[in-house]
């Protein structure tokens, strides 16, 4: 999956008020209810309709690892949509988003500055406008590279330029070799 997309999803999932169903039967029943039928669930999970029916009736209890992963992903994608929307709205309007990363960061600047890339561990609170841009780009189907560029732009303004108080001639921030990335609302 994608590092940035999954990181944003994980941050939103921390706002859930109840845990998602854990057993395969409960997950299948939830998906059948959400998608209004076993045929739709079978298409989403790429299994037969009869297999879905067996899970719903608890005739099969333990799915294959690949099916278990797809099942969990589909349930979490649909779990508590109102809580998810409120968390995203709050981050995009008032709260902002915190990015915690360990990656190689550097920048393009005029001659005479120390613009050498180096591994840095940063925990930076990004303003709400960047949270909104990240979530909007994710909703629009942005690639992981595009989300990474948005995060680099946010780090440029907030961390390197300190909101315009320093490094005004900074051109571009390079954000590569990501070892760790986590978002928090």
């Amino acid at each position: 999956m994608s590092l940035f997309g999954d990181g944003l999803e994980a941050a939103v999932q921390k706002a859930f008020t109840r845990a998602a169903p854990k057993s395969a039967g409960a997950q299948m029943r939830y998906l059948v209810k959400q998608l209004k039928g076993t045929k739709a669930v079978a298409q989403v999970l790429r299994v037969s309709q009869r297999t879905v029916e067996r899970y719903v009736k608890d005739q099969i209890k333990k799915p294959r690892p690949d099916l278990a992963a797809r099942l969990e992903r589909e349930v979490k994608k649909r779990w508590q949509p109102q809580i998810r929307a409120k968390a995203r709205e709050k981050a995009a309007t008032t709260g902002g988003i915190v990015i915690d990363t360990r990656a190689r960061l550097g920048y393009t600047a005029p001659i005479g500055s120390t613009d050498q890339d180096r591994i840095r561990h940063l925990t930076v609170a990004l303003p709400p406008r960047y949270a909104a841009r990240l979530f909007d780009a994710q909703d629009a189907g942005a690639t992981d590279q595009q989300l990474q560029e948005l995060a680099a732009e946010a780090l440029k303004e907030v961390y390197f330029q300190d909101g315009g108080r320093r490094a005004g001639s900074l051109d571009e921030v390079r954000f590569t070799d990501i070892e760790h990335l986590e978002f928090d609302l």
Side-chain angles (χ1 to χ4, degrees), residues 108-120:
T108 307
I111 296 174
S113 66
T114 58
D115 60 352
Q116 183 71 33
D117 290 3
R118 66 177 190 253
I119 297 286
R120 302 173 196 243

Side-chain angles (χ1 to χ4, degrees), residues 1-10 101-103 138 143-145 147-148 175 177-183:
M1 293 306 273
S2 67
L3 187 64
F4 282 82
D6 290 347
L8 289 170
E9 271 305 308
T101 187
R102 180 168 166 74
Q138 184 185 27
T143 64
D144 216 38
Q145 180 63 36
L147 292 172
Q148 184 174 342
F175 185 22
D177 300 339
I178 301 167
E179 296 175 5
H180 166 77
L181 178 74
E182 189 174 330
F183 292 98

Side-chain angles (χ1 to χ4, degrees), residues 88-89 91-93 96-97 127-139 150:
R88 290 174 70 133
E89 182 67 25
T93 56
I97 194 166
R129 69 180 178 277
Y130 285 110
R133 288 181 62 195
L134 283 167
F135 286 132
D136 289 345
Q138 184 185 27
D139 290 342
L150 278 173

